[in-house]
Amino acid sequence: MEEHDERGTTMTGVDPGRLTDQQLMKELQAIHRTRHDTLLHGSNDALRAHNDRMAQLEGEYLRRHPRRLVVASRTRDGARERGAADVGPCQGAETAL
């Protein structure tokens, strides 16, 4: 029988700093997948625990990858450019009948 190692665990799981990169990505994917249901249907305690765990995992990811690829369209300027490109010359103008 395998013994359970309690070191580095909290009420919300293993300390993110102890996870391998692969485990960290798996945890991030799982928490993002469950986010919407927790927000809509979880108790206040569940939502608070979810927020705390997500912050821990995302913080660890950012610590490990401070120079991660940032896609220009995901920045404020990129969103403005995308929004301007979506509005054609006639969009937003009222048409007289």
Side-chain angles (χ1 to χ4, degrees):
M1 180 182 233
E2 188 175 322
E3 289 185 33
H4 181 70
D5 184 359
E6 292 289 330
R7 291 172 300 174
T9 63
T10 65
M11 290 298 289
T12 57
V14 175
D15 176 0
R18 296 188 61 201
L19 298 172
T20 66
D21 285 345
Q22 184 178 5
Q23 290 168 327
L24 178 62
M25 290 306 296
K26 188 174 181 177
E27 290 280 327
L28 282 165
Q29 289 168 348
I31 203 159
H32 285 118
R33 189 173 49 252
T34 60
R35 179 64 182 171
H36 192 73
D37 278 345
T38 305
L39 175 64
L40 296 180
H41 307 293
S43 67
N44 288 341
D45 287 341
L47 185 57
R48 191 173 9 266
H50 205 274
N51 288 342
D52 291 346
R53 183 63 173 169
M54 185 179 290
Q56 291 172 354
L57 293 168
E58 289 178 346
E60 180 62 20
Y61 179 84
L62 293 173
R63 186 189 69 75
R64 292 183 192 188
H65 305 282
R67 298 178 192 268
R68 71 190 192 289
L69 175 65
V70 176
V71 179
S73 64
R74 300 296 297 184
T75 64
R76 185 172 293 161
D77 289 339
R80 286 187 187 121
E81 289 177 21
R82 188 175 58 247
D86 292 343
V87 178
C90 295
Q91 283 183 312
E94 293 184 20
T95 307
L97 295 176

